[in-house]
Amino acid sequence: MNELIERPSVDGDTLELARVEAQMAMLAANIRASTRSTAAVIDPTLEPFGLALLRVLARRGESHASVVADVLAVDRSMISRQAKLLCSLGLVETRVDPLDGRARFLALTPLATEKLAEVRRNRKALVHRRLSRWTPADLDQFATLLERLNEPD
C-alpha cells in the first residue's frame, strides 16, 4: 500500500515546524534578557538599542550615523537620538569629518571601550555561556543553519 501518511500538525504546521518556532521564540526571549542585563553592566540606564550601537562602533570603528543606521536597519533619527544619550553617559563622542565639516563621526570613548572589554571578560550572557560549551563542529553547523535561515527570500 502506498498511502500517504498524514503528519500530525499544530495550527496547520507540522510538529517539527511548531517546535522550531517555539524554540526560536524562547531563544529570542533569552537574547533580549541577556542584552538587557549586559547593557545594565555598562550603565544601569543603558537601553539594549544603545548596546547594539556601541557594539557596531566597536566592530567598525568610528562611523557616520548613516552607516550605523544602515547596519542596524533603522532610521538615522534613531541613531541621532541614541547617540545623544550615549554622549551624555560618556560612552560615545562625536568628531567632525575632516572631508566634510558638516558631517560627524560617532566614536567610542575610552570608557565605552573599557566597559565593553569588561563585558567580554565576564561573559555572563546566557546564550554565550551556553554556546561556549558546544563543540566547534556544533557551532559551525548551527551557524550554517542560521545563515540559511537568514538568507533573503
Side-chain angles (χ1 to χ4, degrees):
M1 281 189 205
N2 272 343
E3 293 182 26
L4 290 175
I5 298 174
E6 187 172 321
R7 302 196 43 90
S9 66
V10 175
D11 294 330
D13 290 332
T14 66
L15 288 177
E16 296 85 359
L17 184 56
R19 183 175 162 221
V20 167
E21 287 175 343
Q23 290 301 314
M24 287 178 63
M26 188 180 300
L27 176 61
N30 285 336
I31 289 171
R32 283 191 301 275
S34 177
T35 301
R36 280 192 303 275
S37 66
T38 300
V41 167
I42 293 173
D43 186 280
T45 62
L46 182 63
E47 297 177 11
F49 186 74
L51 176 61
L53 195 152
L54 292 176
R55 286 179 166 163
V56 168
L57 294 176
R59 280 192 313 272
R60 299 182 68 92
E62 67 178 28
S63 302
H64 287 120
S66 59
V67 171
V68 177
D70 288 345
V71 170
L72 294 174
V74 298
D75 187 78
R76 190 182 179 289
S77 64
M78 285 186 68
I79 301 301
S80 296
R81 283 191 298 275
Q82 195 60 226
K84 285 179 188 173
L85 291 170
L86 293 170
C87 285
S88 72
L89 294 173
L91 298 169
V92 167
E93 59 191 10
T94 60
R95 298 186 185 143
V96 175
D97 182 341
L99 301 176
D100 180 356
R102 299 167 296 160
R104 301 226 179 261
F105 284 110
L106 299 176
L108 294 179
T109 63
L111 175 63
T113 302
E114 176 186 320
K115 292 286 191 174
L116 287 169
E118 178 186 332
V119 165
R120 280 191 299 275
R121 280 191 306 272
N122 291 338
R123 294 291 189 201
K124 293 181 180 176
L126 175 71
V127 174
H128 185 276
R129 196 172 59 242
R130 289 178 180 171
L131 289 176
S132 69
R133 296 188 295 245
W134 290 21
T135 67
D138 286 344
L139 289 170
D140 185 58
Q141 180 182 13
F142 187 53
T144 299
L145 292 171
L146 287 173
E147 287 165 357
R148 278 181 52 196
L149 179 64
N150 288 318
E151 287 175 357
D153 289 338

